Amino acid sequence: MGPQRAWAGLSARRGRAARAVSTVALGAGEATEGVRGEVQDKSPRGPGPSSAVTIRETVAGLPLGPTRASCPPLFPGAKKKYLPPSSRKDPKFEELQKVLVEWINAALLPEHVVVRSLEEDMFDGLILHHLFQKLAGLRLQVEEIALTAASQRRKLEVVLGAVNRALQVEEPQAKWSVEAIFNKDLVATLHLLVALAKHFQPSVPLPSNVQVEVVTIESTKSGLKSGKSLEQLTTQHSTGKDQPSEDVLDELLKMAPEKVRAVEEAIVSFVNHSLRSLGLAVQSLNSQFADGVILLLLIGQLEGFFLHLKEFYLTPSSPAEMMHNVTLALELLRDAGLLSHPVSPEDIVNKDPKSTLRVLYSLFCKHKLKASADGTPCGTLH
């Protein structure tokens, strides 16, 4: 599974210089490469410290976003959150940032994008743009490079709008906003990235039960009021016996190949029997479920509900449409309590055999058991 392999191997690649994903013209015939962080000076020189300069300092001298000194004052009724130094130094808070940075860098490694600071690198929507397109498997109609604060804000609005739709979150209920992200609110940025990781790649090893104390400043008619509160960034994970590292499917895949093939054949027979009334049949578990269509129809048949054609793509013609279908199918399975282990929609679209088998096996276990004459549990291996 590509993203997981990339994440696991990231430590061996850390420290490499950021490379370009775009080229920005700097006068006649001169160009500077980079998306974030550093733009490397290509002129020859002897040994010594790197002469890298930040893109925000070089691109035509244009202001490229808010700085701490330029943050707007609080108007009456406005609120702003601040992180005291003690919160920033909390080990679990630092660990969460480290895991998210490594996850983003692994996901965007093919695009040579390198994130160094979540607080400084996410505000203008550029990294979020690339990350969301990678995770969701779609293309957003938005400018690639935004040079002015106004264009950056417009881009961030488009990207966050797409993210909220994918996460099925209304902005008033979201723990992030365009205003908060654009003003480099680290807590809001972390809420957003944690939500993306949990939705698209639940296997990302986020630290458990991360809380951080924040100070909220509110502007009132009588002056400024302050208060402290705890922000819950991640939840408490199940441990020990409540979260086994392996399940029945893991045990199954360790068995002799002929037994694995026998189970696969039984699942194919089960699927075809379930889809018979729709006039559908499958021969390959790995390839025919990648676009999510048959998987959605199968779930509908087995769980007894109807999916309106407006909710999915019956004839998907792009990876984005396939990703939409598979993501919807996995959400339905999670809502039904059928997925005890996380499955990435990207793995299904990429025809990963184990992920596809895990999804079908969960349906097989629930519904084959109902039809079993002797009531033998599906999880029992022979």
Side-chain angles (χ1 to χ4, degrees), residues 164-207:
N164 289 344
R165 287 191 295 274
L167 299 179
Q168 297 183 335
V169 173
E170 297 291 336
E171 188 164 339
Q173 285 75 47
K175 296 179 180 179
W176 56 86
S177 65
V178 173
E179 187 73 22
I181 301 297
F182 192 69
N183 285 314
K184 302 183 181 180
D185 184 325
L186 181 57
V187 172
T189 301
L190 291 174
H191 276 304
L192 172 61
L193 294 174
V194 167
L196 283 169
K198 292 173 73 173
H199 181 81
F200 287 104
Q201 290 188 338
S203 57
V204 175
L206 300 175

Side-chain angles (χ1 to χ4, degrees), residues 238-248 250-251 340-342 358:
S238 298
T239 57
K241 295 181 180 179
D242 294 332
Q243 190 176 14
S245 59
E246 293 189 346
D247 63 359
V248 173
D250 292 312
E251 298 177 21
S340 58
H341 279 59
R358 186 181 297 283

